[in-house]
PDB file of all heavy atoms in Angstrom:
ATOM      1  N   SER A 159     -49.362 -16.579  19.000  1.00 97.00           N
ATOM      2  CA  SER A 159     -48.029 -17.037  18.608  1.00 97.00           C
ATOM      3  C   SER A 159     -48.087 -18.544  18.527  1.00 97.00           C
ATOM      4  O   SER A 159     -48.473 -19.211  19.513  1.00 97.00           O
ATOM      5  CB  SER A 159     -47.007 -16.579  19.641  1.00 97.00           C
ATOM      6  OG  SER A 159     -45.737 -17.112  19.375  1.00 97.00           O
ATOM      7  N   MET A 160     -47.715 -19.106  17.377  1.00 98.00           N
ATOM      8  CA  MET A 160     -47.847 -20.533  17.151  1.00 98.00           C
ATOM      9  C   MET A 160     -46.508 -21.099  16.651  1.00 98.00           C
ATOM     10  O   MET A 160     -45.882 -20.501  15.776  1.00 98.00           O
ATOM     11  CB  MET A 160     -48.969 -20.840  16.170  1.00 98.00           C
ATOM     12  CG  MET A 160     -49.207 -22.337  15.956  1.00 98.00           C
ATOM     13  SD  MET A 160     -50.613 -22.686  14.884  1.00 98.00           S
ATOM     14  CE  MET A 160     -49.903 -22.315  13.261  1.00 98.00           C
ATOM     15  N   LEU A 161     -46.148 -22.232  17.193  1.00 98.00           N
ATOM     16  CA  LEU A 161     -44.889 -22.884  16.820  1.00 98.00           C
ATOM     17  C   LEU A 161     -45.199 -24.279  16.335  1.00 98.00           C
ATOM     18  O   LEU A 161     -45.928 -25.039  17.004  1.00 98.00           O
ATOM     19  CB  LEU A 161     -43.958 -22.956  18.038  1.00 98.00           C
ATOM     20  CG  LEU A 161     -42.517 -23.453  17.821  1.00 98.00           C
ATOM     21  CD1 LEU A 161     -41.714 -22.395  17.031  1.00 98.00           C
ATOM     22  CD2 LEU A 161     -41.872 -23.777  19.143  1.00 98.00           C
ATOM     23  N   ALA A 162     -44.657 -24.655  15.162  1.00 98.00           N
ATOM     24  CA  ALA A 162     -44.849 -26.003  14.615  1.00 98.00           C
ATOM     25  C   ALA A 162     -43.444 -26.673  14.564  1.00 98.00           C
ATOM     26  O   ALA A 162     -42.640 -26.344  13.697  1.00 98.00           O
ATOM     27  CB  ALA A 162     -45.477 -25.961  13.253  1.00 98.00           C
ATOM     28  N   VAL A 163     -43.185 -27.559  15.527  1.00 98.00           N
ATOM     29  CA  VAL A 163     -41.908 -28.248  15.612  1.00 98.00           C
ATOM     30  C   VAL A 163     -41.943 -29.507  14.721  1.00 98.00           C
ATOM     31  O   VAL A 163     -42.859 -30.344  14.842  1.00 98.00           O
ATOM     32  CB  VAL A 163     -41.577 -28.633  17.046  1.00 98.00           C
ATOM     33  CG1 VAL A 163     -40.220 -29.355  17.125  1.00 98.00           C
ATOM     34  CG2 VAL A 163     -41.591 -27.396  17.951  1.00 98.00           C
ATOM     35  N   GLN A 164     -40.973 -29.621  13.854  1.00 97.00           N
ATOM     36  CA  GLN A 164     -40.939 -30.750  12.927  1.00 97.00           C
ATOM     37  C   GLN A 164     -40.592 -32.047  13.660  1.00 97.00           C
ATOM     38  O   GLN A 164     -40.009 -32.048  14.758  1.00 97.00           O
ATOM     39  CB  GLN A 164     -39.926 -30.498  11.821  1.00 97.00           C
ATOM     40  CG  GLN A 164     -40.207 -29.228  10.992  1.00 97.00           C
ATOM     41  CD  GLN A 164     -41.576 -29.288  10.364  1.00 97.00           C
ATOM     42  OE1 GLN A 164     -41.945 -30.312   9.749  1.00 97.00           O
ATOM     43  NE2 GLN A 164     -42.358 -28.208  10.489  1.00 97.00           N
ATOM     44  N   PRO A 165     -40.942 -33.188  13.075  1.00 97.00           N
ATOM     45  CA  PRO A 165     -40.662 -34.495  13.738  1.00 97.00           C
ATOM     46  C   PRO A 165     -39.210 -34.730  14.058  1.00 97.00           C
ATOM     47  O   PRO A 165     -38.912 -35.437  15.029  1.00 97.00           O
ATOM     48  CB  PRO A 165     -41.171 -35.520  12.712  1.00 97.00           C
ATOM     49  CG  PRO A 165     -42.234 -34.775  11.921  1.00 97.00           C
ATOM     50  CD  PRO A 165     -41.748 -33.383  11.809  1.00 97.00           C
ATOM     51  N   ASP A 166     -38.269 -34.149  13.289  1.00 95.00           N
ATOM     52  CA  ASP A 166     -36.852 -34.360  13.573  1.00 95.00           C
ATOM     53  C   ASP A 166     -36.367 -33.523  14.755  1.00 95.00           C
ATOM     54  O   ASP A 166     -35.232 -33.687  15.203  1.00 95.00           O
ATOM     55  CB  ASP A 166     -36.004 -34.080  12.336  1.00 95.00           C
ATOM     56  CG  ASP A 166     -36.091 -32.601  11.891  1.00 95.00           C
ATOM     57  OD1 ASP A 166     -36.673 -31.755  12.615  1.00 95.00           O
ATOM     58  OD2 ASP A 166     -35.586 -32.319  10.795  1.00 95.00           O
ATOM     59  N   ARG A 167     -37.252 -32.626  15.259  1.00 96.00           N
ATOM     60  CA  ARG A 167     -36.981 -31.773  16.423  1.00 96.00           C
ATOM     61  C   ARG A 167     -35.848 -30.772  16.194  1.00 96.00           C
ATOM     62  O   ARG A 167     -35.394 -30.101  17.126  1.00 96.00           O
ATOM     63  CB  ARG A 167     -36.667 -32.607  17.668  1.00 96.00           C
ATOM     64  CG  ARG A 167     -37.728 -33.632  18.007  1.00 96.00           C
ATOM     65  CD  ARG A 167     -38.991 -32.975  18.519  1.00 96.00           C
ATOM     66  NE  ARG A 167     -39.970 -33.952  18.969  1.00 96.00           N
ATOM     67  CZ  ARG A 167     -41.057 -34.291  18.297  1.00 96.00           C
ATOM     68  NH1 ARG A 167     -41.332 -33.722  17.134  1.00 96.00           N
ATOM     69  NH2 ARG A 167     -41.917 -35.182  18.780  1.00 96.00           N
ATOM     70  N   ARG A 168     -35.343 -30.663  14.989  1.00 96.00           N
ATOM     71  CA  ARG A 168     -34.263 -29.724  14.685  1.00 96.00           C
ATOM     72  C   ARG A 168     -34.745 -28.460  13.972  1.00 96.00           C
ATOM     73  O   ARG A 168     -34.000 -27.506  13.873  1.00 96.00           O
ATOM     74  CB  ARG A 168     -33.195 -30.407  13.824  1.00 96.00           C
ATOM     75  CG  ARG A 168     -32.458 -31.524  14.532  1.00 96.00           C
ATOM     76  CD  ARG A 168     -31.560 -32.295  13.580  1.00 96.00           C
ATOM     77  NE  ARG A 168     -30.838 -33.373  14.262  1.00 96.00           N
ATOM     78  CZ  ARG A 168     -29.634 -33.234  14.811  1.00 96.00           C
ATOM     79  NH1 ARG A 168     -29.022 -32.061  14.762  1.00 96.00           N
ATOM     80  NH2 ARG A 168     -29.045 -34.237  15.401  1.00 96.00           N
ATOM     81  N   ARG A 169     -35.946 -28.508  13.496  1.00 97.00           N
ATOM     82  CA  ARG A 169     -36.506 -27.389  12.763  1.00 97.00           C
ATOM     83  C   ARG A 169     -37.914 -27.078  13.273  1.00 97.00           C
ATOM     84  O   ARG A 169     -38.596 -27.981  13.786  1.00 97.00           O
ATOM     85  CB  ARG A 169     -36.565 -27.687  11.255  1.00 97.00           C
ATOM     86  CG  ARG A 169     -35.218 -27.889  10.593  1.00 97.00           C
ATOM     87  CD  ARG A 169     -35.377 -28.423   9.183  1.00 97.00           C
ATOM     88  NE  ARG A 169     -35.979 -29.777   9.205  1.00 97.00           N
ATOM     89  CZ  ARG A 169     -37.027 -30.142   8.479  1.00 97.00           C
ATOM     90  NH1 ARG A 169     -37.605 -29.246   7.680  1.00 97.00           N
ATOM     91  NH2 ARG A 169     -37.491 -31.364   8.533  1.00 97.00           N
ATOM     92  N   ALA A 170     -38.318 -25.828  13.106  1.00 97.00           N
ATOM     93  CA  ALA A 170     -39.671 -25.434  13.512  1.00 97.00           C
ATOM     94  C   ALA A 170     -40.065 -24.224  12.647  1.00 97.00           C
ATOM     95  O   ALA A 170     -39.250 -23.493  12.112  1.00 97.00           O
ATOM     96  CB  ALA A 170     -39.737 -25.060  14.985  1.00 97.00           C
ATOM     97  N   ASP A 171     -41.385 -24.059  12.525  1.00 97.00           N
ATOM     98  CA  ASP A 171     -41.939 -22.897  11.864  1.00 97.00           C
ATOM     99  C   ASP A 171     -42.666 -22.053  12.884  1.00 97.00           C
ATOM    100  O   ASP A 171     -43.469 -22.564  13.684  1.00 97.00           O
ATOM    101  CB  ASP A 171     -42.907 -23.311  10.756  1.00 97.00           C
ATOM    102  CG  ASP A 171     -42.205 -23.939   9.559  1.00 97.00           C
ATOM    103  OD1 ASP A 171     -41.056 -23.524   9.266  1.00 97.00           O
ATOM    104  OD2 ASP A 171     -42.769 -24.890   8.967  1.00 97.00           O
ATOM    105  N   LEU A 172     -42.378 -20.760  12.858  1.00 97.00           N
ATOM    106  CA  LEU A 172     -43.011 -19.826  13.800  1.00 97.00           C
ATOM    107  C   LEU A 172     -44.015 -18.949  13.059  1.00 97.00           C
ATOM    108  O   LEU A 172     -43.726 -18.371  12.023  1.00 97.00           O
ATOM    109  CB  LEU A 172     -41.917 -18.936  14.445  1.00 97.00           C
ATOM    110  CG  LEU A 172     -42.423 -17.797  15.335  1.00 97.00           C
ATOM    111  CD1 LEU A 172     -43.148 -18.359  16.571  1.00 97.00           C
ATOM    112  CD2 LEU A 172     -41.246 -16.921  15.752  1.00 97.00           C
ATOM    113  N   TYR A 173     -45.221 -18.852  13.623  1.00 97.00           N
ATOM    114  CA  TYR A 173     -46.287 -18.036  13.045  1.00 97.00           C
ATOM    115  C   TYR A 173     -46.671 -16.974  14.094  1.00 97.00           C
ATOM    116  O   TYR A 173     -47.020 -17.307  15.230  1.00 97.00           O
ATOM    117  CB  TYR A 173     -47.507 -18.860  12.719  1.00 97.00           C
ATOM    118  CG  TYR A 173     -47.245 -19.981  11.719  1.00 97.00           C
ATOM    119  CD1 TYR A 173     -46.719 -21.223  12.151  1.00 97.00           C
ATOM    120  CD2 TYR A 173     -47.537 -19.825  10.386  1.00 97.00           C
ATOM    121  CE1 TYR A 173     -46.494 -22.240  11.278  1.00 97.00           C
ATOM    122  CE2 TYR A 173     -47.315 -20.869   9.470  1.00 97.00           C
ATOM    123  CZ  TYR A 173     -46.799 -22.069   9.918  1.00 97.00           C
ATOM    124  OH  TYR A 173     -46.578 -23.092   9.014  1.00 97.00           O
ATOM    125  N   LEU A 174     -46.637 -15.706  13.717  1.00 97.00           N
ATOM    126  CA  LEU A 174     -46.985 -14.628  14.630  1.00 97.00           C
ATOM    127  C   LEU A 174     -48.169 -13.847  14.049  1.00 97.00           C
ATOM    128  O   LEU A 174     -48.122 -13.357  12.930  1.00 97.00           O
ATOM    129  CB  LEU A 174     -45.802 -13.676  14.801  1.00 97.00           C
ATOM    130  CG  LEU A 174     -44.572 -14.246  15.492  1.00 97.00           C
ATOM    131  CD1 LEU A 174     -43.456 -13.213  15.513  1.00 97.00           C
ATOM    132  CD2 LEU A 174     -44.914 -14.675  16.924  1.00 97.00           C
ATOM    133  N   ALA A 175     -49.227 -13.791  14.869  1.00 97.00           N
ATOM    134  CA  ALA A 175     -50.408 -13.021  14.492  1.00 97.00           C
ATOM    135  C   ALA A 175     -50.553 -11.848  15.473  1.00 97.00           C
ATOM    136  O   ALA A 175     -51.297 -11.940  16.443  1.00 97.00           O
ATOM    137  CB  ALA A 175     -51.646 -13.906  14.520  1.00 97.00           C
ATOM    138  N   GLY A 176     -49.740 -10.809  15.235  1.00 95.00           N
ATOM    139  CA  GLY A 176     -49.796  -9.630  16.078  1.00 95.00           C
ATOM    140  C   GLY A 176     -49.363  -9.870  17.534  1.00 95.00           C
ATOM    141  O   GLY A 176     -49.706  -9.101  18.423  1.00 95.00           O
ATOM    142  N   HIS A 177     -48.586 -10.927  17.759  1.00 96.00           N
ATOM    143  CA  HIS A 177     -48.256 -11.345  19.138  1.00 96.00           C
ATOM    144  C   HIS A 177     -46.781 -11.105  19.424  1.00 96.00           C
ATOM    145  O   HIS A 177     -45.945 -11.082  18.511  1.00 96.00           O
ATOM    146  CB  HIS A 177     -48.575 -12.841  19.282  1.00 96.00           C
ATOM    147  CG  HIS A 177     -48.766 -13.281  20.688  1.00 96.00           C
ATOM    148  ND1 HIS A 177     -49.967 -13.179  21.342  1.00 96.00           N
ATOM    149  CD2 HIS A 177     -47.867 -13.814  21.590  1.00 96.00           C
ATOM    150  CE1 HIS A 177     -49.815 -13.640  22.568  1.00 96.00           C
ATOM    151  NE2 HIS A 177     -48.561 -14.040  22.762  1.00 96.00           N
ATOM    152  N   PRO A 178     -46.425 -10.924  20.723  1.00 95.00           N
ATOM    153  CA  PRO A 178     -45.017 -10.790  21.093  1.00 95.00           C
ATOM    154  C   PRO A 178     -44.166 -11.950  20.605  1.00 95.00           C
ATOM    155  O   PRO A 178     -44.603 -13.091  20.612  1.00 95.00           O
ATOM    156  CB  PRO A 178     -45.046 -10.690  22.632  1.00 95.00           C
ATOM    157  CG  PRO A 178     -46.390 -10.169  22.950  1.00 95.00           C
ATOM    158  CD  PRO A 178     -47.318 -10.772  21.895  1.00 95.00           C
ATOM    159  N   VAL A 179     -42.916 -11.666  20.235  1.00 96.00           N
ATOM    160  CA  VAL A 179     -42.015 -12.664  19.706  1.00 96.00           C
ATOM    161  C   VAL A 179     -41.553 -13.608  20.816  1.00 96.00           C
ATOM    162  O   VAL A 179     -41.140 -13.130  21.882  1.00 96.00           O
ATOM    163  CB  VAL A 179     -40.785 -11.980  19.082  1.00 96.00           C
ATOM    164  CG1 VAL A 179     -39.837 -13.023  18.466  1.00 96.00           C
ATOM    165  CG2 VAL A 179     -41.235 -10.988  17.973  1.00 96.00           C
ATOM    166  N   PRO A 180     -41.631 -14.920  20.610  1.00 97.00           N
ATOM    167  CA  PRO A 180     -41.103 -15.861  21.599  1.00 97.00           C
ATOM    168  C   PRO A 180     -39.601 -15.692  21.786  1.00 97.00           C
ATOM    169  O   PRO A 180     -38.939 -15.004  21.010  1.00 97.00           O
ATOM    170  CB  PRO A 180     -41.450 -17.233  21.015  1.00 97.00           C
ATOM    171  CG  PRO A 180     -42.500 -16.975  20.005  1.00 97.00           C
ATOM    172  CD  PRO A 180     -42.228 -15.609  19.452  1.00 97.00           C
ATOM    173  N   LEU A 181     -39.056 -16.349  22.783  1.00 97.00           N
ATOM    174  CA  LEU A 181     -37.629 -16.244  23.029  1.00 97.00           C
ATOM    175  C   LEU A 181     -37.008 -17.631  23.185  1.00 97.00           C
ATOM    176  O   LEU A 181     -37.698 -18.617  23.510  1.00 97.00           O
ATOM    177  CB  LEU A 181     -37.354 -15.378  24.246  1.00 97.00           C
ATOM    178  CG  LEU A 181     -38.007 -15.741  25.582  1.00 97.00           C
ATOM    179  CD1 LEU A 181     -37.112 -16.715  26.353  1.00 97.00           C
ATOM    180  CD2 LEU A 181     -38.233 -14.490  26.405  1.00 97.00           C
ATOM    181  N   ARG A 182     -35.715 -17.680  22.948  1.00 97.00           N
ATOM    182  CA  ARG A 182     -34.957 -18.908  23.107  1.00 97.00           C
ATOM    183  C   ARG A 182     -34.144 -18.793  24.399  1.00 97.00           C
ATOM    184  O   ARG A 182     -33.403 -17.801  24.606  1.00 97.00           O
ATOM    185  CB  ARG A 182     -34.037 -19.136  21.918  1.00 97.00           C
ATOM    186  CG  ARG A 182     -33.221 -20.429  21.985  1.00 97.00           C
ATOM    187  CD  ARG A 182     -32.596 -20.780  20.666  1.00 97.00           C
ATOM    188  NE  ARG A 182     -31.877 -22.038  20.743  1.00 97.00           N
ATOM    189  CZ  ARG A 182     -31.535 -22.755  19.666  1.00 97.00           C
ATOM    190  NH1 ARG A 182     -31.850 -22.316  18.466  1.00 97.00           N
ATOM    191  NH2 ARG A 182     -30.884 -23.900  19.832  1.00 97.00           N
ATOM    192  N   LEU A 183     -34.292 -19.790  25.276  1.00 96.00           N
ATOM    193  CA  LEU A 183     -33.596 -19.772  26.535  1.00 96.00           C
ATOM    194  C   LEU A 183     -32.123 -20.032  26.342  1.00 96.00           C
ATOM    195  O   LEU A 183     -31.713 -20.783  25.444  1.00 96.00           O
ATOM    196  CB  LEU A 183     -34.170 -20.785  27.502  1.00 96.00           C
ATOM    197  CG  LEU A 183     -35.426 -20.394  28.276  1.00 96.00           C
ATOM    198  CD1 LEU A 183     -36.604 -20.141  27.347  1.00 96.00           C
ATOM    199  CD2 LEU A 183     -35.789 -21.420  29.339  1.00 96.00           C
ATOM    200  N   GLY A 184     -31.319 -19.395  27.187  1.00 90.00           N
ATOM    201  CA  GLY A 184     -29.884 -19.587  27.174  1.00 90.00           C
ATOM    202  C   GLY A 184     -29.401 -20.276  28.420  1.00 90.00           C
ATOM    203  O   GLY A 184     -29.833 -21.393  28.691  1.00 90.00           O
ATOM    204  N   PRO A 185     -28.621 -19.609  29.233  1.00 83.00           N
ATOM    205  CA  PRO A 185     -28.346 -18.182  29.063  1.00 83.00           C
ATOM    206  C   PRO A 185     -27.253 -17.886  28.038  1.00 83.00           C
ATOM    207  O   PRO A 185     -26.409 -18.755  27.813  1.00 83.00           O
ATOM    208  CB  PRO A 185     -27.870 -17.763  30.466  1.00 83.00           C
ATOM    209  CG  PRO A 185     -27.322 -19.005  31.073  1.00 83.00           C
ATOM    210  CD  PRO A 185     -28.069 -20.162  30.485  1.00 83.00           C
ATOM    211  N   PRO A 186     -27.350 -16.734  27.392  1.00 94.00           N
ATOM    212  CA  PRO A 186     -28.391 -15.714  27.618  1.00 94.00           C
ATOM    213  C   PRO A 186     -29.613 -16.016  26.796  1.00 94.00           C
ATOM    214  O   PRO A 186     -29.524 -16.557  25.675  1.00 94.00           O
ATOM    215  CB  PRO A 186     -27.714 -14.413  27.176  1.00 94.00           C
ATOM    216  CG  PRO A 186     -26.813 -14.851  26.052  1.00 94.00           C
ATOM    217  CD  PRO A 186     -26.303 -16.210  26.469  1.00 94.00           C
ATOM    218  N   ALA A 187     -30.778 -15.639  27.308  1.00 95.00           N
ATOM    219  CA  ALA A 187     -32.019 -15.784  26.533  1.00 95.00           C
ATOM    220  C   ALA A 187     -32.047 -14.704  25.458  1.00 95.00           C
ATOM    221  O   ALA A 187     -31.577 -13.569  25.692  1.00 95.00           O
ATOM    222  CB  ALA A 187     -33.233 -15.618  27.452  1.00 95.00           C
ATOM    223  N   VAL A 188     -32.538 -15.063  24.291  1.00 96.00           N
ATOM    224  CA  VAL A 188     -32.612 -14.107  23.181  1.00 96.00           C
ATOM    225  C   VAL A 188     -33.978 -14.241  22.508  1.00 96.00           C
ATOM    226  O   VAL A 188     -34.613 -15.294  22.555  1.00 96.00           O
ATOM    227  CB  VAL A 188     -31.489 -14.367  22.129  1.00 96.00           C
ATOM    228  CG1 VAL A 188     -30.107 -14.124  22.726  1.00 96.00           C
ATOM    229  CG2 VAL A 188     -31.598 -15.798  21.584  1.00 96.00           C
ATOM    230  N   LEU A 189     -34.407 -13.163  21.888  1.00 96.00           N
ATOM    231  CA  LEU A 189     -35.660 -13.211  21.110  1.00 96.00           C
ATOM    232  C   LEU A 189     -35.416 -13.989  19.815  1.00 96.00           C
ATOM    233  O   LEU A 189     -34.350 -13.895  19.192  1.00 96.00           O
ATOM    234  CB  LEU A 189     -36.120 -11.809  20.775  1.00 96.00           C
ATOM    235  CG  LEU A 189     -36.559 -10.931  21.976  1.00 96.00           C
ATOM    236  CD1 LEU A 189     -36.850  -9.490  21.493  1.00 96.00           C
ATOM    237  CD2 LEU A 189     -37.786 -11.528  22.643  1.00 96.00           C
ATOM    238  N   LEU A 190     -36.406 -14.752  19.397  1.00 95.00           N
ATOM    239  CA  LEU A 190     -36.309 -15.446  18.118  1.00 95.00           C
ATOM    240  C   LEU A 190     -36.422 -14.440  16.978  1.00 95.00           C
ATOM    241  O   LEU A 190     -37.002 -13.364  17.122  1.00 95.00           O
ATOM    242  CB  LEU A 190     -37.462 -16.449  18.001  1.00 95.00           C
ATOM    243  CG  LEU A 190     -37.406 -17.664  18.936  1.00 95.00           C
ATOM    244  CD1 LEU A 190     -38.663 -18.497  18.810  1.00 95.00           C
ATOM    245  CD2 LEU A 190     -36.153 -18.500  18.634  1.00 95.00           C
ATOM    246  N   PRO A 191     -35.866 -14.779  15.832  1.00 91.00           N
ATOM    247  CA  PRO A 191     -36.014 -13.878  14.662  1.00 91.00           C
ATOM    248  C   PRO A 191     -37.476 -13.749  14.283  1.00 91.00           C
ATOM    249  O   PRO A 191     -38.261 -14.698  14.382  1.00 91.00           O
ATOM    250  CB  PRO A 191     -35.203 -14.591  13.575  1.00 91.00           C
ATOM    251  CG  PRO A 191     -35.130 -16.028  13.997  1.00 91.00           C
ATOM    252  CD  PRO A 191     -35.101 -15.991  15.507  1.00 91.00           C
ATOM    253  N   ALA A 192     -37.852 -12.552  13.909  1.00 84.00           N
ATOM    254  CA  ALA A 192     -39.281 -12.295  13.566  1.00 84.00           C
ATOM    255  C   ALA A 192     -39.365 -11.532  12.284  1.00 84.00           C
ATOM    256  O   ALA A 192     -40.076 -10.494  12.206  1.00 84.00           O
ATOM    257  CB  ALA A 192     -39.942 -11.524  14.728  1.00 84.00           C
ATOM    258  N   GLY A 193     -38.674 -12.018  11.246  1.00 85.00           N
ATOM    259  CA  GLY A 193     -38.777 -11.336   9.965  1.00 85.00           C
ATOM    260  C   GLY A 193     -40.114 -11.498   9.295  1.00 85.00           C
ATOM    261  O   GLY A 193     -40.529 -10.689   8.467  1.00 85.00           O
ATOM    262  N   GLN A 194     -40.830 -12.592   9.648  1.00 87.00           N
ATOM    263  CA  GLN A 194     -42.141 -12.862   9.045  1.00 87.00           C
ATOM    264  C   GLN A 194     -43.209 -12.665  10.146  1.00 87.00           C
ATOM    265  O   GLN A 194     -43.367 -13.480  11.037  1.00 87.00           O
ATOM    266  CB  GLN A 194     -42.212 -14.282   8.495  1.00 87.00           C
ATOM    267  CG  GLN A 194     -41.154 -14.613   7.451  1.00 87.00           C
ATOM    268  CD  GLN A 194     -41.406 -13.836   6.170  1.00 87.00           C
ATOM    269  OE1 GLN A 194     -42.531 -13.478   5.835  1.00 87.00           O
ATOM    270  NE2 GLN A 194     -40.316 -13.605   5.429  1.00 87.00           N
ATOM    271  N   ARG A 195     -43.941 -11.565  10.082  1.00 91.00           N
ATOM    272  CA  ARG A 195     -44.975 -11.292  11.071  1.00 91.00           C
ATOM    273  C   ARG A 195     -46.305 -11.068  10.353  1.00 91.00           C
ATOM    274  O   ARG A 195     -46.346 -10.504   9.263  1.00 91.00           O
ATOM    275  CB  ARG A 195     -44.630 -10.039  11.902  1.00 91.00           C
ATOM    276  CG  ARG A 195     -43.387 -10.191  12.740  1.00 91.00           C
ATOM    277  CD  ARG A 195     -43.105  -8.920  13.530  1.00 91.00           C
ATOM    278  NE  ARG A 195     -44.182  -8.633  14.476  1.00 91.00           N
ATOM    279  CZ  ARG A 195     -44.169  -9.034  15.732  1.00 91.00           C
ATOM    280  NH1 ARG A 195     -43.181  -9.754  16.185  1.00 91.00           N
ATOM    281  NH2 ARG A 195     -45.174  -8.741  16.546  1.00 91.00           N
ATOM    282  N   GLY A 196     -47.370 -11.540  10.986  1.00 94.00           N
ATOM    283  CA  GLY A 196     -48.693 -11.338  10.436  1.00 94.00           C
ATOM    284  C   GLY A 196     -49.531 -10.492  11.372  1.00 94.00           C
ATOM    285  O   GLY A 196     -49.175 -10.209  12.523  1.00 94.00           O
ATOM    286  N   ARG A 197     -50.655 -10.055  10.871  1.00 96.00           N
ATOM    287  CA  ARG A 197     -51.584  -9.205  11.641  1.00 96.00           C
ATOM    288  C   ARG A 197     -52.327 -10.025  12.675  1.00 96.00           C
ATOM    289  O   ARG A 197     -52.389 -11.255  12.625  1.00 96.00           O
ATOM    290  CB  ARG A 197     -52.563  -8.552  10.697  1.00 96.00           C
ATOM    291  CG  ARG A 197     -53.410  -9.561   9.932  1.00 96.00           C
ATOM    292  CD  ARG A 197     -54.443  -8.923   9.028  1.00 96.00           C
ATOM    293  NE  ARG A 197     -55.084  -9.868   8.169  1.00 96.00           N
ATOM    294  CZ  ARG A 197     -56.100 -10.654   8.570  1.00 96.00           C
ATOM    295  NH1 ARG A 197     -56.562 -10.585   9.814  1.00 96.00           N
ATOM    296  NH2 ARG A 197     -56.644 -11.526   7.739  1.00 96.00           N
ATOM    297  N   ALA A 198     -52.889  -9.329  13.665  1.00 97.00           N
ATOM    298  CA  ALA A 198     -53.730  -9.994  14.643  1.00 97.00           C
ATOM    299  C   ALA A 198     -54.984 -10.529  13.995  1.00 97.00           C
ATOM    300  O   ALA A 198     -55.469  -9.980  13.001  1.00 97.00           O
ATOM    301  CB  ALA A 198     -54.110  -9.002  15.751  1.00 97.00           C
ATOM    302  N   LEU A 199     -55.516 -11.602  14.534  1.00 97.00           N
ATOM    303  CA  LEU A 199     -56.725 -12.200  13.997  1.00 97.00           C
ATOM    304  C   LEU A 199     -57.913 -11.252  14.275  1.00 97.00           C
ATOM    305  O   LEU A 199     -58.055 -10.730  15.365  1.00 97.00           O
ATOM    306  CB  LEU A 199     -57.006 -13.551  14.662  1.00 97.00           C
ATOM    307  CG  LEU A 199     -55.906 -14.620  14.592  1.00 97.00           C
ATOM    308  CD1 LEU A 199     -56.376 -15.910  15.205  1.00 97.00           C
ATOM    309  CD2 LEU A 199     -55.448 -14.842  13.182  1.00 97.00           C
ATOM    310  N   GLY A 200     -58.726 -11.069  13.244  1.00 96.00           N
ATOM    311  CA  GLY A 200     -59.910 -10.211  13.415  1.00 96.00           C
ATOM    312  C   GLY A 200     -59.711  -8.788  12.991  1.00 96.00           C
ATOM    313  O   GLY A 200     -60.665  -8.026  13.025  1.00 96.00           O
ATOM    314  N   ILE A 201     -58.494  -8.415  12.636  1.00 94.00           N
ATOM    315  CA  ILE A 201     -58.227  -7.049  12.162  1.00 94.00           C
ATOM    316  C   ILE A 201     -58.527  -6.987  10.643  1.00 94.00           C
ATOM    317  O   ILE A 201     -57.959  -7.754   9.887  1.00 94.00           O
ATOM    318  CB  ILE A 201     -56.779  -6.640  12.416  1.00 94.00           C
ATOM    319  CG1 ILE A 201     -56.482  -6.698  13.916  1.00 94.00           C
ATOM    320  CG2 ILE A 201     -56.494  -5.253  11.848  1.00 94.00           C
ATOM    321  CD1 ILE A 201     -57.224  -5.692  14.718  1.00 94.00           C
ATOM    322  N   PRO A 202     -59.415  -6.123  10.212  1.00 90.00           N
ATOM    323  CA  PRO A 202     -59.830  -6.094   8.815  1.00 90.00           C
ATOM    324  C   PRO A 202     -58.836  -5.402   7.862  1.00 90.00           C
ATOM    325  O   PRO A 202     -59.129  -4.365   7.264  1.00 90.00           O
ATOM    326  CB  PRO A 202     -61.183  -5.354   8.876  1.00 90.00           C
ATOM    327  CG  PRO A 202     -61.013  -4.404  10.000  1.00 90.00           C
ATOM    328  CD  PRO A 202     -60.171  -5.144  11.040  1.00 90.00           C
TER     329      PRO A 202
END
């Protein structure tokens, strides 16, 4: 799971390679949106 936070600190890009979805702390804590998911590394 990789997160790229932009210099303005207001935007970020999330990359998922077969990994559990990160969460945003609250309360309440919630899962981040995961509409774009990729396969695990090494899976053919």
